[in-house]
């Protein structure tokens, strides 16, 4: 079983068999009717290729790429996008992404990575790391304050 060490918002593996993930907390600064993005960096410090699968909490998010391979000693950036929202009340803190990863046999390409590979009923060990979503309330409060009008 894999044990995680959490150091300064980075996921590291004690047993040399999982991706490093940075950050573990996804911060979005709400903007009315605009898509908002942030990046997650996946780092593979092992000697094996590692496949990843990003599970999103709802359809209002997109992960690009949502599946792929991180080569030994390599890094991969994943862009997480929140679709445009009418108001900040449509989004909530506490949404959770799950990054699944497994060791790979050599010779597979990104397009060969499937959801079935991450089924825990298989013989491969599937590591899972949660990424929590946090919305910046300052931007939302500023937006709401600008809508308030005073009547004399």
């Amino acid at each position: 079983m894999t044990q995680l060490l959490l150091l300064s918002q980075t996921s590291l593996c004690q047993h040399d068999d999982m991706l490093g993930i940075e950050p573990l907390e996804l911060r979005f600064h709400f903007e009315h009717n605009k898509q908002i993005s942030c990046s997650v960096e996946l780092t593979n410090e092992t000697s094996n290729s590692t496949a990843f699968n990003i599970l999103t909490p709802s359809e209002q998010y997109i992960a690009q790429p949502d599946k792929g391979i991180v080569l030994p000693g390599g890094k991969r950036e994943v862009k997480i996008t929140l679709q445009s929202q009418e108001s900040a009340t449509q989004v909530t803190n506490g949404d959770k992404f799950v990054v699944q990863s497994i060791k790979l046999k050599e010779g597979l390409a990104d397009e060969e990575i499937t959801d079935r590979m991450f089924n825990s009923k298989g013989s491969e060990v599937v590591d899972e790391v949660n990424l929590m979503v946090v919305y910046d309330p300052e931007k939302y409060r500023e937006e709401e304050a600008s809508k308030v009008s005073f009547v004399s």
Side-chain angles (χ1 to χ4, degrees):
M1 175 174 236
T2 301
Q3 295 179 354
L4 296 179
L5 296 174
L6 300 179
L7 303 172
S8 65
Q9 296 297 307
T10 303
S11 166
L12 302 174
C13 181
Q14 183 176 3
H15 299 291
D16 197 38
D17 64 352
M18 191 176 89
L19 294 175
I21 303 168
E22 189 175 326
L24 294 176
E25 187 175 83
L26 305 177
R27 293 197 164 272
F28 291 97
H29 301 283
F30 181 79
E31 292 187 45
H32 181 71
N33 285 330
K34 287 189 178 180
Q35 286 187 346
I36 313 162
S37 296
C38 65
S39 294
V40 174
E41 185 174 78
L42 307 177
T43 304
N44 182 359
E45 295 183 2
T46 73
S47 58
N48 298 306
S49 291
T50 303
F52 67 90
N53 184 36
I54 311 283
L55 302 175
T56 59
S58 70
E59 291 181 9
Q60 68 185 2
Y61 298 99
I62 297 173
Q64 294 176 313
D66 63 339
K67 293 177 189 59
I69 298 171
V70 185
L71 298 174
K75 294 182 179 189
R76 188 86 182 255
E77 185 175 316
V78 176
K79 182 179 178 182
I80 307 291
T81 303
L82 170 65
Q83 299 299 308
S84 64
Q85 304 293 312
E86 287 288 320
S87 74
T89 57
Q90 292 179 275
V91 294
T92 57
N93 284 324
D95 281 348
K96 178 177 70 174
F97 285 77
V98 179
V99 179
Q100 298 176 311
S101 60
I102 58 170
K103 286 183 184 180
L104 281 182
K105 295 175 177 62
E106 295 300 317
L108 289 178
D110 278 352
E111 49 278 346
E112 297 175 276
I113 305 304
T114 65
D115 291 334
R116 294 184 78 206
M117 296 171 81
F118 299 91
N119 183 339
S120 60
K121 293 178 185 171
S123 61
E124 297 294 324
V125 173
V126 178
D127 289 317
E128 293 188 347
V129 176
N130 295 330
L131 305 180
M132 298 307 293
V133 174
V134 177
Y135 293 98
D136 182 355
E138 290 303 313
K139 197 91 163 167
Y140 172 65
R141 278 190 224 125
E142 289 169 13
E143 177 185 296
E144 291 302 305
S146 68
K147 292 179 184 177
V148 175
S149 61
F150 294 96
V151 178
S152 309

